[in-house]
Amino acid sequence: MLELINVCRDFPVPGVNEPAHILKNINLRVEAGQSVSIVGPSGSGKSTLLNIISGLDEPSAGAVIVNGSDLKQMNEKALAKLRNQDIGFVFQLHHLLPQCSVLENVIVPTLAGFCEESKNQIEQRALELIEAVGLADHKNHRPGELSVGQRQRTALARALVNEPKLLLADEPTGALDADTAGEISELLIELNEKRKVTLVVVTHSMDLAKKMSKVYKLDNGSLSEES
Amino acid sequence: MYLACLIKRSLVFYWRTALAVLIAAMVGTAVLSGALFVGDSVRGSLSMIVEQRLGKTELVLSTGSEFFTTELAGRVSSELNSPAAAVIALHGVAVNADGTRRANNVRIYGVDDDFFAMGEAKVIEDWSGQVVLNMALANKLLLESTDEIVLRIVKPGVLPLDTALTASGENSISFRLPVKAIATEKEFGRFGLESNQQWPLNIFVPRSWLEEKLELTGHANLLLLGSGDTNDIKTEDVDSAVKKAWTIADVGLGFKANEKRSVIELASRRVFIDDDIFRKAKGLSPKATGILTYFVNEIKSDTDSCPYSMVAAIDDNVKLGGFPASQLADDEIIINRWLADDIKAQSGDVIELSYFVLSSDGKLDEHRKKFTVREVVEIEGLAADQTLMPDFPGLKDVENCRQWEPGVPVDLDKIRDVDEKYWEDYRGTPKAFISLKTGQQMWSNRYGSVTAVRYPASQFGTEQLSNSLKDMINPRSEGLFFSDVRQRGLKASSEGTDFGQLFAGLSMFLIGSALVLTGLLFVFGVQRRTNQAGILLAGGFNEATVHGLFIWEGMVLAIAGSGLGLVLGLAYTKAVIRLLTTIWADAVSGSELGFYVTVKSCVISVVAGILMATASIWYAGRKELRKSIRELLDGSRQGQFDISSPAGSGKLAYILLVITLVSALLLIAAGLIDDSMKVGAFFGGGALLLLSGIIVARLKITGSQRKFSSIASLASANAQSRPGRSLAVVTLLALGVFMVVGVGSNRRDPLAGAEKRGSGTGGFILMAQSSAVITKDLNLEPVQREYRFFEDELKGVNFVSIRVRDGEDASCFNLNRVQKPQLLSVKPAELESRGAFSFTNIMFSENSGWDVLEEKLGDDAIPAIGDEATVIWGLGKSPGDEIEYVDDSGRSFRVRIVGVINNSILQGNLIISDKNFRERFSNEQGYRMFLIDTQPGQGSEVLELLTERMSDKGFEVTTTAEKLAAFSSVENTYLTVFQVLGGFGIILGSFGLGVVVLRNVLDRRGELAMLWALGFEKATLKRIILREHFGLVLMGFLIGVVTAAVAVMPVLISSAQRVPFISLGLTIIMIAISGLFWIWLAGSVALKGDLLEGLRNE
């Protein structure tokens, strides 16, 4: 499902000739339906790695293969389609549209122009997802009327509306209290198991990381599997 | 750290935001101060022009076509210890040496050293037989000081021009004269008595030279009186000085001894003696006798006739033929022996007299009257008195009958040798005598009913009679009175068109845009720092202190911005003045403008600028700062979730919508029904409609969404997320477009419907103004022949003749607030029968139009009509208001405005009836303005013909369409200025729109980054941004266009104006492009760079 081959990412440092090597020869293989967590201290490059996996950022060297396609060979439109159709995103902050209801927020990704299903089908699926994340009673509420946990559940439903094969979650519980973080962790595992969605979670929460089938540690730019 | 220090640190740290707010506040103040400075400059220039026009002149005595003795100036000057100058003021025509350039209606002034002293100008020496032109005339004729000029002067007649016996020959004299110099304003070249900022066309000649050419030695008709170095002149002092200083010679009267007849005779330089003077002169002695001698065409018996003779009407107590004239019956006549022999008549025979009289409409009517010969007298005694014939011009100095020019058609073929012999032997000795009463019935006219009054020389001396008569006459009633020309000029200049207010009004939208921008920029700055306010509040600062900190920051920027705006305003004013003297020159009628700034305007604009900017900042910032500490600490994002409208506000909005819509429609309907309400209908109805539109927009923005299924619906939802900002965008654009469409639709097309009688041309094709007075009816063929028109050349051409009482020009060409506008006379029936012009207001409902001029108002008031621009803008009056005038007898009377016609070619004047005019201005002789009907398509041909044939009279012929277009150009220039300034406002507003968009997009950069991460392409994101704001722009445009179109409907329907759809459409498209450009730019800037930052920053 996902393969990283010798991926490097350098960032220029103002006033210094030598760039900062954030990611160094990262190699990673994630099979379909697998759940993987990447842990590491703040500033270790976890989010950068996730951005490279999703095609939001380009590696300085190496290759990223998602669902058999080398992202380097894809143009802007193809990358957009890949992100929209094959990848789902959950961010630390939910980035919900405040002007839209829960249902509408979930539907938003289908408006990017790659979805060929009818409006009714989309709405039906969105409602199912909302129910799946436990927000059936709040489908017409706006984000301002939801708790932080409910907002993150909405973001999770939004990430799954296009039935992606790969779900990327960047610190999904980072802004939540322990109870809510636990609920969201369970929900992620449940979705992975029930829907067979490949799950890559970047976190510095060991509680969440350990719930995944494999745990990798990113430290000083290098990735290593935790035993 | 003191709070002041905190404010300073904040301003320095957030310098970009501070600078933006400061610039916006600066623009607002600059535009406002610029508007006020333009007002100062116009007022200052007008006031300076008064000084240039009048020099030291404070008061003037103007007698028009009457002349006083130049000694009067010296005597009044001595009485008041003030400088005085006697001037001859005439009209004329100037032509350059090769005849290629001509100036009609030129003012010709005969002046002496006193005049230049009055203007504090250098005295011109050795210039007899030469002329000095003022700059304006020299420019018009392209003349220099070494060139020659042909000058045609309208010669003031001895006899009033509209009496039958006025010399029919040329009443103008021509000279070819070298130009001595060109007079600038420093040389008193701008001299003029009328409050007008435009240069008059002046020619100055030595007064002594002019007196000689006019045969008016020692006479003048204009007396300038200046204040001395130490004294201010008071009107009452002047009146008493005139009473002391004047003599009866100053009103053209004089006593002379006729030793042969042992009588002293009172005669007038103008032949006829005014009835009032006659009564007073008779009152001097019971033995005073009146005489009226007249020129008759023919005296006919049954068998023979005698052409062209003098007949005298003698007073009751005069004895002739052995009996007093009182015994002469009305139909009895005494004839002399010569006549009796000539026509073979004797006592008891019936003879017939034929003679001309001038009818009120300028026609020469030949009347006849039969008399029975009471007695035949020998040519001796009174019957041989040659002096019974007054000094008729064209008769008095001629050698023989063939040289007669008596002012009536004379058939020289009829003059026989015996007539020549009679003239040689007896000159103008009357051949027949009738009673004075009968003579007066036949020949008296509005200038008098006697030609002499005689007294026995044994009882009186000439000096004694002169003094006695002087004591009985009030010089004021004879036109010898001063008027306060300087005070009137200064009043007119200070009360003139307030360009300060006008430009402030015209710049309203620009100022408004700057204020909105100031508020927006400030509030965006505040929104970025709301957490700071939260921290301070959480740290124990009270609310007032924290709010004050932000507001003080705003105030510092407002003060600095306003101060800098004042400086920028000076530059802006110079730029506007430059435009007003070049491409917008029509707005100030080509007047030159100086740069003037008053402290008052500086203070007003800075204070107003500070207050407006502070109010805008306070208003915009108050909502942000009123949030709870938690919301403030959460920062600006928290506010994004608060988008629900207060409960019940929708219902209130619907109620408001219904009220405003119904009120607007009622007002507009009233405008459609009642013409006088159309202006109110536009502004009131338009404003209410606009408000309705904005309420609809609010309901639409805050209302329920359509089904969420497309990018459009996402864009729509985005627009709803910030209803305040979205509504600001809609309002700004709607207001701008409303202004542009409203103003554009009011632009006049002078040619629209110009051929219709009800239009501003009155349906006339041409109009003419004459430098010389035309006394006769130009519609009559004999008169046309007199002016060298061939038979049928003027077939189908009709003239409406108008008398003119010179006054100030109250048209839109004059920036002064006119106090006494020029008066025109019309015969109401002439315009009524044509249905000429259309009325917007008539005070007496029973009148249908021009006949309102015949209303009897009593109380020494007479009715007048003016056009809308004259009455409302030129004079600042409304129907029912009155203006006081003084008639030729020095009596005050009031002209009451009883009717208003639509803007017309008669702009600048008040129009009264011919009857009222003649009753009050007996010195104004004949006609000087003409409205001309021609056959269709004949206009330009008739224009050329009249210009050529009537050139000697200084006929200036123009097409009425051209005249109306000239008036409209002023108004249209105002509209252009408004549109340009409004356009700048819209550009600024559009920039504000761009700022709103940019801020909206930057606020939502996280959202956009998220959408990008979810697979939205950048192009799609840009489309969403454009679509969301394009919808607002479209809404604003629709509201503006639709509401303006409905609101201007009454104006469009009533004025038959053509809407300039193309220019209007182009302007709107330009505004749309500008709006879309800023949205596009803001969208591009927001999406430029790494969107991932948006995700990280969140």
Side-chain angles (χ1 to χ4, degrees):
Chain A
M1 180 68 223
L2 168 68
E3 190 175 4
L4 304 182
I5 305 162
N6 294 325
V7 169
C8 300
R9 183 68 170 102
D10 302 336
F11 285 102
V13 181
V16 180
N17 285 336
E18 185 70 11
H21 304 291
I22 305 299
L23 300 176
K24 299 171 191 165
N25 293 317
I26 304 288
N27 288 289
L28 174 69
R29 190 179 172 86
V30 182
E31 300 301 331
Q34 201 178 0
S35 66
V36 168
S37 66
I38 299 168
V39 295
S42 291
S44 59
K46 300 190 296 294
S47 295
T48 304
L49 182 62
L50 210 59
N51 289 337
I52 285 173
I53 292 170
S54 63
L56 293 175
D57 199 1
E58 283 180 39
S60 307
V64 180
I65 314 291
V66 176
N67 206 16
S69 304
D70 184 352
L71 300 192
K72 212 170 194 175
Q73 308 304 318
M74 298 170 85
N75 60 17
E76 170 80 12
K77 192 173 177 69
L79 275 173
K81 189 175 179 186
L82 176 87
R83 281 199 302 274
N84 186 255
Q85 295 291 301
D86 296 339
I87 301 175
F89 256 111
V90 180
F91 305 98
Q92 179 178 0
L93 290 174
H94 42 78
H95 293 303
L96 295 176
L97 299 181
Q99 64 272 29
C100 298
S101 66
V102 167
L103 176 61
E104 288 165 349
N105 265 293
V106 174
I107 287 173
V108 162
T110 67
L111 305 178
F114 303 109
C115 191
E116 290 170 356
E117 287 166 290
S118 72
K119 287 171 192 169
N120 285 342
Q121 282 175 310
I122 289 168
E123 194 171 319
Q124 195 53 44
R125 194 165 61 247
L127 288 169
E128 280 171 24
L129 281 167
I130 289 168
E131 196 175 346
V133 298
L135 289 176
D137 295 340
H138 297 82
K139 64 177 181 187
N140 292 323
H141 288 199
R142 285 181 177 171
E145 298 157 348
L146 301 175
S147 68
V148 183
Q150 285 170 326
R151 288 177 197 166
Q152 196 61 303
R153 284 163 188 264
T154 308
L156 200 51
R158 180 181 65 189
L160 297 170
V161 73
N162 279 333
E163 298 180 319
K165 296 176 182 72
L166 175 63
L167 181 65
L168 303 176
D170 187 1
E171 300 278 15
T173 60
L176 307 175
D177 58 69
D179 290 346
T180 314
E183 283 173 25
I184 294 296
S185 306
E186 295 304 322
L187 195 56
L188 279 170
I189 299 300
E190 191 185 323
L191 289 169
N192 168 247
E193 287 171 358
K194 281 188 181 170
R195 293 177 182 263
K196 304 291 177 205
V197 180
T198 309
L199 181 62
V200 178
V201 179
V202 163
T203 181
H204 49 237
S205 161
M206 284 312 290
D207 286 346
L208 174 60
K210 283 176 184 168
K211 287 177 182 165
M212 305 298 141
S213 53
K214 277 191 177 175
V215 178
Y216 290 91
K217 184 176 181 188
L218 187 62
D219 194 12
N220 204 20
S222 301
L223 190 70
S224 56
E225 190 175 348
E226 293 278 285
S227 53
Chain B
M1 187 166 65
Y2 294 104
L3 289 179
C5 191
L6 185 60
I7 290 170
K8 187 179 156 195
R9 292 268 168 86
S10 300
L11 287 173
V12 171
F13 188 79
Y14 297 105
W15 68 271
R16 286 185 185 83
T17 310
L19 185 65
V21 174
L22 183 136
I23 289 172
M26 184 173 78
V27 169
T29 307
V31 175
L32 178 65
S33 61
L36 296 180
F37 296 160
V38 168
D40 287 345
S41 298
V42 172
R43 252 191 313 276
S45 301
L46 291 181
S47 170
M48 181 199 69
I49 289 169
V50 173
E51 300 298 325
Q52 291 175 350
R53 279 197 303 114
L54 298 175
K56 289 197 295 189
T57 311
E58 294 284 334
L59 304 161
V60 293
L61 182 153
S62 172
T63 52
S65 55
E66 304 281 358
F67 281 75
F68 54 82
T69 63
T70 51
E71 287 89 9
L72 181 65
R75 291 193 296 265
V76 171
S77 174
S78 305
E79 286 289 335
L80 293 165
N81 193 25
S82 297
V87 176
I88 297 175
L90 301 170
H91 289 273
V93 179
V95 184
N96 67 353
D98 59 9
T100 51
R101 298 185 80 86
R102 160 185 293 267
N104 295 316
N105 271 315
V106 169
R107 293 298 182 128
I108 297 157
Y109 294 107
V111 298
D112 61 5
D113 294 355
D114 292 340
F115 173 81
F116 292 108
M118 194 67 79
E120 296 177 284
K122 202 173 132 192
V123 169
I124 297 172
E125 287 167 355
D126 302 328
W127 64 311
S128 184
Q130 297 180 71
V131 298
V132 171
L133 310 184
N134 77 351
M135 229 165 60
L137 184 60
N139 289 341
K140 188 173 170 86
L141 298 180
L142 300 178
L143 286 174
E144 291 176 5
S145 56
T146 50
D147 291 336
E148 284 190 327
I149 186 174
V150 175
L151 181 60
R152 183 173 288 276
I153 300 173
V154 180
K155 196 176 173 185
V158 168
L159 204 62
L161 287 171
D162 49 357
T163 57
L165 297 171
T166 302
S168 67
E170 292 290 313
N171 67 344
S172 59
I173 44 176
S174 296
F175 307 94
R176 193 180 183 95
L177 302 167
V179 176
K180 170 83 176 176
I182 310 291
T184 65
E185 62 272 18
K186 286 181 184 157
E187 283 92 35
F188 214 14
R190 194 161 197 164
F191 173 73
L193 301 179
E194 283 145 23
S195 298
N196 200 319
Q197 78 285 354
Q198 294 182 28
W199 272 76
L201 301 176
N202 290 343
I203 293 182
F204 303 96
V205 294
R207 196 186 73 208
S208 53
W209 176 87
L210 190 58
E211 286 173 13
E212 185 195 325
K213 298 298 172 195
L214 297 174
E215 299 168 57
L216 278 168
T217 305
H219 284 82
N221 60 352
L222 184 66
L223 203 163
L224 312 182
L225 192 62
S227 60
D229 293 335
T230 53
N231 62 327
D232 282 335
I233 299 186
K234 294 189 182 73
T235 318
E236 53 269 33
D237 295 343
V238 177
D239 281 345
S240 89
V242 171
K243 272 187 182 164
K244 279 188 202 161
W246 83 289
T247 67
I248 60 167
D250 292 318
V251 294
L253 296 170
F255 287 95
K256 72 180 171 198
N258 183 337
E259 286 168 8
K260 201 172 168 188
R261 297 288 315 148
S262 298
V263 292
I264 291 174
E265 183 175 294
L266 172 68
S268 168
R269 202 178 63 78
R270 297 174 71 77
V271 179
F272 292 96
I273 297 171
D274 175 76
D275 284 346
D276 186 48
I277 303 273
F278 173 50
R279 271 193 300 278
K280 285 168 177 158
K282 279 271 279 185
L284 290 175
S285 163
K287 291 189 175 171
T289 57
I291 295 164
L292 172 58
T293 304
Y294 205 75
F295 183 82
V296 299
N297 303 339
E298 191 181 48
I299 304 174
K300 199 167 76 174
S301 68
D302 286 345
T303 54
D304 295 276
S305 71
C306 171
Y308 310 120
S309 309
M310 288 292 162
V311 174
I314 48 176
D315 219 337
D316 287 355
N317 51 355
V318 176
K319 274 189 182 174
L320 189 66
F323 58 91
S326 58
Q327 291 179 14
L328 270 177
D330 288 352
D331 61 348
E332 288 184 329
I333 192 166
I334 298 169
I335 60 174
N336 71 9
R337 174 64 58 201
W338 188 95
L339 179 64
D341 294 345
D342 189 39
I343 62 171
K344 298 182 184 63
Q346 51 188 316
S347 295
D349 286 355
V350 173
I351 62 173
E352 186 181 73
L353 267 57
S354 61
Y355 51 91
F356 278 122
V357 289
L358 202 71
S359 69
S360 61
D361 52 4
K363 290 179 197 164
L364 271 179
D365 291 336
E366 192 172 35
H367 290 217
R368 293 174 190 281
K369 186 167 170 67
K370 287 184 176 168
F371 290 89
T372 303
V373 179
R374 167 80 181 261
E375 189 149 345
V376 178
V377 294
E378 298 305 320
I379 304 179
E380 57 186 26
L382 180 65
D385 187 354
Q386 292 183 8
T387 63
L388 284 172
M389 183 188 87
D391 292 342
F392 280 124
L395 295 179
K396 65 170 181 172
D397 295 326
V398 298
E399 293 298 316
N400 57 59
C401 302
R402 308 246 159 223
Q403 294 173 340
W404 282 358
E405 284 183 349
V408 290
V410 171
D411 185 352
L412 294 177
D413 293 340
K414 286 186 178 172
I415 298 172
R416 306 156 301 171
D417 290 343
V418 289
D419 299 320
E420 287 284 12
K421 183 75 175 67
Y422 184 89
W423 184 260
E424 196 182 317
D425 294 342
Y426 306 111
R427 306 283 301 171
T429 306
K431 292 173 187 164
F433 302 85
I434 57 176
S435 72
L436 184 61
K437 187 179 151 207
T438 306
Q440 286 176 331
Q441 282 167 0
M442 291 160 66
W443 302 319
S444 65
N445 56 56
R446 64 195 180 103
Y447 301 100
S449 54
V450 292
T451 50
V453 183
R454 288 185 169 185
Y455 304 83
S458 55
Q459 291 182 358
F460 301 100
T462 52
E463 200 178 326
Q464 180 198 1
L465 283 169
S466 293
N467 290 336
S468 303
L469 187 60
K470 179 191 164 185
D471 290 343
M472 296 175 80
I473 297 171
N474 179 357
R476 190 177 180 82
S477 65
E478 298 308 309
L480 294 181
F481 58 90
F482 280 91
S483 58
D484 198 341
V485 69
R486 176 177 293 275
Q487 200 186 45
R488 203 173 67 211
L490 290 173
K491 191 169 182 320
S493 69
S494 65
E495 292 178 4
T497 310
D498 189 340
F499 270 73
Q501 274 185 21
L502 181 71
F503 262 79
L506 296 179
S507 315
M508 191 176 59
F509 193 69
L510 185 53
I511 295 170
S513 296
L515 288 176
V516 169
L517 203 57
T518 306
L520 273 178
L521 291 167
F522 179 77
V523 85
F524 290 160
V526 171
Q527 279 172 352
R528 288 176 60 198
R529 295 164 54 201
T530 47
N531 55 347
Q532 292 180 7
I535 290 164
L536 291 172
L537 286 168
F541 282 79
N542 67 36
E543 204 173 288
T545 310
V546 176
H547 290 191
L549 264 178
F550 281 89
I551 297 301
W552 267 111
E553 256 186 65
M555 271 194 79
V556 168
L557 294 173
I559 292 166
S562 298
L564 290 171
L566 190 70
V567 179
L568 186 66
L570 296 171
Y572 171 75
T573 309
K574 286 201 169 175
V576 172
I577 287 177
R578 175 101 184 129
L579 290 170
L580 282 171
T581 49
T582 52
I583 58 170
W584 292 342
D586 279 349
V588 290
S589 303
S591 168
E592 72 256 57
L593 292 178
F595 179 68
Y596 293 86
V597 172
T598 61
V599 176
K600 187 178 156 195
S601 294
C602 291
V603 172
I604 289 175
S605 49
V606 168
V607 171
I610 291 170
L611 289 178
M612 287 191 303
T614 307
S616 173
I617 283 168
W618 170 81
Y619 181 80
R622 82 197 194 292
K623 198 177 167 188
E624 287 302 321
L625 297 170
R626 221 190 275 151
K627 289 173 180 166
S628 68
I629 297 177
R630 184 187 60 80
E631 284 174 325
L632 290 169
L633 283 170
D634 276 357
S636 60
R637 269 200 64 82
Q638 184 65 35
Q640 286 186 29
F641 296 120
D642 181 24
I643 58 168
S644 57
S645 50
S649 67
K651 198 174 171 187
L652 183 69
Y654 277 112
I655 294 170
L656 259 175
L657 176 64
V658 171
I659 292 172
T660 51
L661 205 57
V662 170
S663 311
L665 293 176
L666 281 176
L667 262 176
I668 289 164
L672 284 170
I673 296 163
D674 185 349
D675 231 19
S676 66
M677 286 187 69
K678 64 178 190 250
V679 176
F682 170 69
F683 285 108
L688 285 169
L689 260 188
L690 195 63
L691 192 58
S692 314
I694 291 166
I695 294 171
V696 170
R698 186 187 181 281
L699 288 169
K700 174 91 182 142
I701 289 169
T702 57
S704 61
Q705 294 175 26
R706 59 175 148 169
K707 195 163 172 63
F708 195 79
S709 57
S710 62
I711 287 176
S713 54
L714 184 58
S716 164
N718 287 340
Q720 290 179 328
S721 70
R722 298 274 192 177
R725 285 184 195 175
S726 298
L727 202 60
V729 169
V730 172
T731 305
L732 209 60
L733 283 167
L735 199 60
V737 173
F738 180 85
M739 292 285 180
V740 168
V741 175
V743 171
S745 305
N746 273 289
R747 190 174 281 274
R748 281 176 202 283
D749 179 355
L751 298 178
E755 71 291 346
K756 292 180 189 157
R757 283 291 183 197
S759 73
T761 64
F764 294 99
I765 304 297
L766 304 172
M767 79 183 290
Q769 280 180 289
S770 168
S771 302
V773 170
I774 309 292
T775 54
K776 295 168 188 169
D777 184 355
L778 289 173
N779 292 308
L780 301 176
E781 254 184 66
V783 177
Q784 291 174 1
R785 276 201 301 278
E786 208 177 297
Y787 288 113
R788 297 176 289 128
F789 290 100
F790 297 118
E791 198 179 340
D792 288 348
E793 247 183 341
L794 291 178
K795 197 176 176 188
V797 178
N798 265 297
F799 296 84
V800 170
S801 306
I802 295 174
R803 294 176 199 274
V804 179
R805 172 68 167 187
D806 282 335
E808 290 158 341
D809 174 14
S811 74
C812 52
F813 294 141
N814 196 349
L815 304 181
N816 296 278
R817 171 52 52 84
V818 165
Q819 311 294 313
K820 294 221 184 329
Q822 181 164 274
L823 288 176
L824 305 181
S825 83
V826 296
K827 297 184 184 82
E830 282 191 311
L831 297 181
E832 187 71 43
S833 62
R834 286 174 165 87
F837 307 100
S838 57
F839 282 79
T840 61
N841 200 315
I842 300 177
M843 277 187 70
F844 301 96
S845 54
E846 65 273 19
N847 296 103
S848 55
W850 290 97
D851 54 345
V852 76
L853 292 180
E854 286 165 344
E855 280 289 329
K856 296 263 183 288
L857 302 180
D859 300 334
D860 214 10
I862 58 168
I865 289 170
D867 87 348
E868 216 168 10
T870 308
V871 173
I872 297 169
W873 305 114
L875 301 171
K877 305 273 182 198
S878 48
D881 287 347
E882 295 179 338
I883 297 173
E884 195 170 290
Y885 281 84
V886 177
D887 70 12
D888 280 343
S889 302
R891 287 187 297 265
S892 292
F893 68 99
R894 287 166 294 121
V895 168
R896 188 181 302 163
I897 298 162
V898 294
V900 179
I901 55 174
N902 268 324
N903 287 344
S904 73
I905 50 172
L906 299 175
Q907 193 182 128
N909 310 285
L910 284 181
I911 303 132
I912 61 174
S913 76
D914 195 58
K915 182 173 172 288
N916 283 330
F917 188 100
R918 283 185 293 114
E919 279 173 10
R920 277 154 185 87
F921 303 114
S922 53
N923 293 342
E924 294 294 348
Q925 306 151 7
Y927 308 99
R928 283 195 280 141
M929 190 184 281
F930 303 88
L931 302 178
I932 304 162
D933 280 328
T934 70
Q935 298 284 13
Q938 207 190 354
S940 51
E941 195 185 314
V942 174
L943 186 148
E944 279 175 28
L945 193 66
L946 287 172
T947 305
E948 185 206 326
R949 300 290 163 76
M950 302 293 283
S951 61
D952 289 352
K953 300 288 171 193
F955 236 56
E956 181 108 26
V957 191
T958 50
T959 64
T960 50
E962 203 179 316
K963 185 90 178 167
L964 205 56
F967 288 134
S968 298
S969 70
V970 176
E971 196 176 322
N972 285 342
T973 307
Y974 286 151
L975 296 182
T976 302
V977 175
F978 185 85
Q979 279 185 319
V980 168
L981 294 176
F984 281 131
I986 289 171
I987 289 171
L988 206 62
S990 305
F991 175 69
L993 172 68
V995 171
V996 171
V997 175
L998 188 62
R999 183 68 210 180
N1000 271 349
V1001 175
L1002 289 177
D1003 277 353
R1004 289 167 26 214
R1005 212 170 143 81
E1007 282 172 28
L1008 293 170
M1010 179 273 292
L1011 290 172
W1012 180 60
L1014 291 181
F1016 283 77
E1017 291 174 78
K1018 280 191 177 174
T1020 310
L1021 294 178
K1022 197 182 240 179
R1023 239 182 8 253
I1024 291 172
I1025 294 168
L1026 288 179
R1027 204 151 184 165
E1028 149 188 354
H1029 292 94
F1030 179 72
L1032 299 177
V1033 171
L1034 190 69
M1035 209 185 284
F1037 267 78
L1038 276 178
I1039 292 170
V1041 171
V1042 172
T1043 55
V1046 176
V1048 297
M1049 207 182 289
V1051 182
L1052 297 185
I1053 291 172
S1054 70
S1055 309
Q1057 289 175 89
R1058 282 186 204 152
V1059 178
F1061 286 109
I1062 294 176
S1063 66
L1064 212 55
L1066 283 175
T1067 312
I1068 292 174
I1069 288 170
M1070 290 296 289
I1071 296 170
I1073 290 172
S1074 161
L1076 294 176
F1077 167 76
W1078 289 111
I1079 295 171
W1080 172 84
L1081 191 68
S1084 300
V1085 168
L1087 292 174
K1088 207 174 166 190
D1090 191 0
L1091 271 180
L1092 269 179
E1093 288 296 324
L1095 287 173
R1096 289 190 193 114
N1097 287 342
E1098 286 299 321

